[in-house]
Every structure is written in structure tokens, then in C-alpha cells.
Amino acid sequence: MDDFLRAGRFDEKMTDDAAAFSTSIEFDQRIFEEDVKTNRAHTTMLMEEGIIPEDAGVKIINALNKLESEGLSALNIDPSFEDIHMAIEDYVTNLVGKEAGFMHTAKSRNDQVCTDIRLKLKSEIENTTKNIKQFITTIVEMAKENLDTLFIAYTHLQHAQPTTFAHHLMAYANELRRDCERFYDTYKRVDISPLGAAALTTTGFPINRQRTAELLGFSEVMDNSIDSVSSRDFVAEAAFDYAMLATTLGKIADEIVIWSSYEFRMVECSNAYSSTSSIMPQKKNPDIAELARGKSTVAYGELMTILSMLKAIPHSYNRDLQELTPHLWNTVDNTNDILKIVHGMVATLTINKERTKQLASENFATATELADIMVREKNLPFRSAHTIVGKIVSDSIEKGITTEDIDNEFVNKVSEEILGEPIELGEDLIRQALDPALNVKSRTVKGGCAPSAVRDAIDNMEKFLNE
């Protein structure tokens, strides 16, 4: 029980409700393995430095190894324990006896819990970035198969310009890449060992902090012991990274919802990621995409909670910090669930190529290229070309005609109204400008939608994936 901590200082037990209110044992189970590793590394260092008797250290390490092999279920998870550290110390004490007390020499729960959280978060970030890169790999393979699949790009959810499905997919890939790179950058600030800071001022024992950092796989040791036990900016930073990843995933899910509607009919969700109505048997609802879109907001709330808790806490350790970790782990788990489900949905989408080609050819989506050709071929200022093409579109809508009906005579007539003279582009240039496939192929600038430009983008992405 936790009484061995209180026995020296207090002459009465904590009330049951106060004990229940203060315990972190339930969500501490998340860092069980990390706490075992931290205790083992610290005990190993104490032995090597001659700070504790070697025979006592060996017994402690053997007990910790036994616990690690048995797993969490071997612990007495008693609600009266304040945290996982006490439960593990209780286990070791039951096996070793009073010599187990050497394990806590020159160590506090303050530096111990922060070490555990950093170790666990490192592992979580590694797992998340691996899964992001797997998703990017899927997207890249889909893009390779759709380099020439015409698609319509939107601004303000209105037809903008023709593109390809591959080009749109690679937008997702690049957003996810930045999400991944944010995690890589955060990882550097998580990968620093606070162990050895003890409660807040280190210890009078001649401990070797570099050795425990080495044993635990940290790249360096934190420079200030107060900062070591009190700082949780790395928690907020990681939560932000997960929130940004959730934003990317929510956007993808939202587009799946829109694209799969009857009005758009651009993609169809797999039956495995769809549901039907309890009353309307014809329905195929993108429920999983909608839920992913909705669940993507959870990370924002958790991030705000974490930031609010961190605001204006004085140095150094305060018990408020205990309440951060459940919000961090909820952010991690929720976002990882969304990542897995959105990956599965995208991988199993069916693209309606006839429909996307139709949309790319309609609603004057190629009008910008008609203006560009006027600039390139006739040396016309772009604003003048923009005015002419805008009038061509408005006249076409008024007359009920499409881009297929726009010819040299029509363009000349509008040009005479605007410029006072015909522009004389000729039928070939007009057809070239208004053809969505030729539109796409002309966008060879880096980052463009031409198949050659998208192939270059794919090559760059594959270099990133192989790093």
C-alpha cells in the first residue's frame, strides 16, 4: 500500500475520496513498461557508480525483469496507490524486501514520471510517423495509376480549373509529409532525459545522468533540473502536431463525403466504409468519413485543455501536471484511429473517371487558359484578356452555349466590343485552350498538374519515404 510513503510524516490515512481524487493509477498504466525501464536504468547506474550495494541492485533488477516478463497484470493495482511508481515499488518490495528501497535513491517521482512520459511519447511518435508514411505510400501508388485521370479542382467549392486525380492526391501526400516532419521536429525536444533532476535540484549523490540517458536511448540530458521536472511544453507541442494531423485527415474525409454525393458522383466509397439508412433502403451513406471528420475535432479540445492547464503554473513541479497526460494519450489514440480509418477509405475508393472527365470539361473550367493564350500569342495585357474572357463566359451563359460552341468568330465579336478590334486567335488555338486534357498537359511548371510535373513530385516524395 501507499502507507509506507505517508508513515513518516503523517499519523493518519488519506480519506477514501481524497485518495480516489488524487490517484493517477488508471491512466498511469499506459507508462508501465517505461517505468520499469526507468527504474532498471537508474538502478543500473547506481550500482555502476557504487552508490548502492551491488547485491541489492542485482536483486532489484531481477525483480524488475521478472515484472517486465509478467506484465502489468502482475501488479497490485490498488486504488489507494497514488501512481504506477508506487505499485511497481510495492511489487519489488514484496520480492526483495526492504532493500527495494535502494531503488529510489537519488530519484524522485517528479523526474521519474517525466522520463516515463517522454519515453512513451517517443514511441508513440515513431508509431504515428510510420503510419503516416504508409498512408503516403498508398497515395503515391494511387497517383501513379491516375496521372492522366482528368479531375476538376475547386476554389470556394466552385469549378476552378481542370487537373488530374493524381495531382489532387499528391496535395494530400505533401500535407501528410509536413505533418510527419512536424513530428520529427517535436521528437528532438521530446528526446531529452530529465532523469537525475530528482525532485527539482538534482541530488548530492554522484550520479551519472549521461549513463541513464544512454541506457534509456535519449540523445541528450536536460540542462536545468527545475526545467526538467516542470516543463511540459513538449506535451503541448506533440498535441498540436496531432491536432494538425487531424486537420489534414478531417479535410480528406470531408472531400470524400462531398465527392461521393449524387450531385458530385466523383468517387464511391467501399461498402466496407459505408452504411445504409434504417428507413431508406436505397441509401449508401459515407458514415465512416463523416465520423472521421467529426472525431478530428477531439484533438483541438484536448490541445486547448493542455494549454489551459500549463498556463501560469509556477516552477517547479505541481500536481496539476498529472492531469495533462490523459488528455495527451486521448489525443494520440483518437488521431491514430482516424489515420488508420482514413487510410483505409482512401485506399479503397473507386474513382468515376467518366464523371470527373465530364466535370473537368464543363462550366468553363478552361477559361483561364483562353486568357493565357491571348497573352502568350497576342501579347495582350492579362487584365484585358481577363475582361474579354469574362465577357465570353457571361455571353455564353446568357445564350445557353458551352465551351464547345465558342469559336473564333465568337471570340472576335467580344474582342471588338472590348478592344475595338478582333483578336484573331484562330480555331486551333481556341480549341487547344478550351480542351481540358491539353490544359492539364501545359501545366509543366514545378508543382503543376501535368503528368510530367506530377511524376517529378512523386519522385521527390519517394525520396522522402525512403529516407
Side-chain angles (χ1 to χ4, degrees), residues 152-171:
I152 185 67
Y154 295 86
T155 61
H156 311 283
L157 205 55
Q158 303 293 317
H159 277 212
Q161 292 178 305
T163 183
T164 65
F165 190 44
H167 188 230
H168 198 103
L169 286 170
M170 289 305 294

Side-chain angles (χ1 to χ4, degrees), residues 130-338:
K130 179 190 72 174
N131 291 333
I132 294 173
K133 292 182 87 169
Q134 287 175 349
F135 189 10
I136 295 174
T137 300
T138 295
I139 290 171
V140 165
E141 293 305 312
M142 292 175 69
K144 289 178 182 177
E145 297 170 4
N146 288 279
L147 288 167
D148 297 304
T149 301
L150 285 177
F151 208 72
I152 185 67
Y154 295 86
T155 61
H156 311 283
L157 205 55
Q158 303 293 317
H159 277 212
Q161 292 178 305
T163 183
T164 65
F165 190 44
H167 188 230
H168 198 103
L169 286 170
M170 289 305 294
Y172 293 159
N174 278 277
E175 288 171 314
L176 288 164
R177 173 178 175 166
R178 291 195 299 277
D179 288 322
C180 203
E181 289 171 338
R182 267 186 285 272
F183 280 113
Y184 289 159
D185 200 48
T186 295
Y187 189 92
K188 292 183 290 188
R189 284 175 287 283
V190 178
D191 189 26
I192 313 173
S193 176
L195 193 60
L200 76 160
T201 62
T202 72
T203 176
F205 291 99
I207 61 172
N208 185 340
R209 295 188 66 199
Q210 286 294 150
R211 178 58 175 151
T212 50
E214 176 189 344
L215 288 168
L216 291 170
F218 284 107
S219 63
E220 57 183 303
V221 172
M222 295 188 75
D223 279 341
N224 183 278
S225 58
I226 292 177
D227 182 46
S228 296
V229 299
S230 63
S231 293
R232 295 293 188 277
D233 54 309
F234 70 94
V235 171
E237 187 176 358
F240 171 80
D241 293 346
Y242 278 99
M244 278 307 304
L245 173 59
T247 298
T248 302
L249 298 170
K251 182 192 298 183
I252 296 172
D254 185 50
E255 292 197 325
I256 291 173
V257 172
I258 294 170
W259 292 346
S260 62
S261 68
Y262 181 80
E263 287 72 18
F264 283 76
R265 298 194 302 283
M266 296 163 73
V267 302
E268 183 177 355
C269 285
S270 164
N271 291 344
Y273 293 95
S274 305
S275 65
T276 189
S277 165
S278 63
I279 190 172
M280 297 170 284
Q282 84 281 7
K283 294 292 295 296
K284 182 175 182 179
N285 297 329
D287 282 16
I288 302 304
E290 291 173 337
L291 286 167
R293 182 176 61 185
K295 289 176 182 287
S296 67
T297 63
V298 170
Y300 310 154
E302 297 292 30
L303 174 59
M304 290 303 104
T305 300
I306 289 167
L307 289 171
S308 299
M309 286 182 176
L310 288 176
K311 182 186 180 296
I313 294 180
H315 283 113
S316 60
Y317 183 81
N318 295 272
R319 196 66 178 272
D320 313 47
L321 298 177
Q322 171 184 295
E323 295 303 302
L324 289 177
T325 48
H327 299 286
L328 172 63
W329 303 141
N330 189 42
T331 303
V332 171
D333 293 342
N334 180 73
T335 308
N336 281 336
D337 287 346
I338 301 169

Side-chain angles (χ1 to χ4, degrees), residues 339-375:
L339 175 59
K340 180 180 179 181
I341 211 76
V342 173
H343 182 177
M345 275 195 299
V346 170
T348 55
L349 281 178
T350 300
I351 177 79
N352 184 347
K353 295 184 179 182
E354 288 302 314
R355 176 61 172 165
T356 57
K357 180 180 179 181
Q358 176 193 354
L359 290 172
S361 306
E362 293 181 343
N363 205 21
F364 306 98
T366 53
T368 302
E369 182 61 16
L370 183 58
D372 287 347
I373 277 188
M374 292 178 183
V375 175

